[in-house]
């Protein structure tokens, strides 16, 4: 397994903002994640919530702000 890139993390956060937590297949299909599966996205989200909660919350706020512009 290769680590998620910062670009993939940004796409994952944007996908959660647009589609919601749990819509992993929709998020996977909405962005180019290469060969990542919806389970990969779910697991990455869970790990981000455990280890980088404040950073992820900030990224979510930024994505919501962009969508409301």
């Amino acid at each position: 397994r290769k680590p998620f890139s910062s670009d993939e993390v940004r796409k994952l956060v944007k996908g959660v903002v647009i589609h919601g937590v749990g819509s992993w297949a929709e998020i996977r299909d909405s962005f180019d994640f290469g060969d990542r599966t919806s389970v990969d996205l779910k697991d990455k989200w869970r790990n981000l919530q455990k280890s980088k909660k404040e950073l992820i919350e900030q990224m979510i706020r930024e994505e919501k702000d962009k969508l409301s512009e």
Side-chain angles (χ1 to χ4, degrees):
R1 261 193 226 231
K2 67 177 187 168
F4 272 66
S5 68
S6 58
D7 185 53
E8 287 176 311
V9 171
R10 279 192 293 276
K11 290 188 282 191
L12 178 57
V13 170
K14 186 172 187 173
V16 167
V17 169
I18 294 169
H19 300 289
V21 174
S23 300
W24 308 118
E26 285 182 59
I27 294 168
R28 182 201 60 221
D29 294 343
S30 296
F31 299 94
D32 179 18
F33 285 100
D35 60 355
R36 304 259 188 222
T37 66
S38 54
V39 173
D40 292 334
L41 301 183
K42 173 188 65 78
D43 290 345
K44 182 61 176 179
W45 184 256
R46 185 187 67 230
N47 290 331
L48 287 169
Q49 288 296 297
K50 288 180 182 177
S51 64
K52 306 243 189 274
K53 191 164 181 66
E54 290 178 17
L55 174 63
I56 295 306
E57 288 172 354
Q58 176 62 33
M59 291 175 74
I60 289 171
R61 283 191 295 276
E62 290 171 2
E63 284 302 327
K64 286 182 177 179
D65 287 347
K66 287 179 191 174
L67 291 173
S68 66
E69 291 177 353

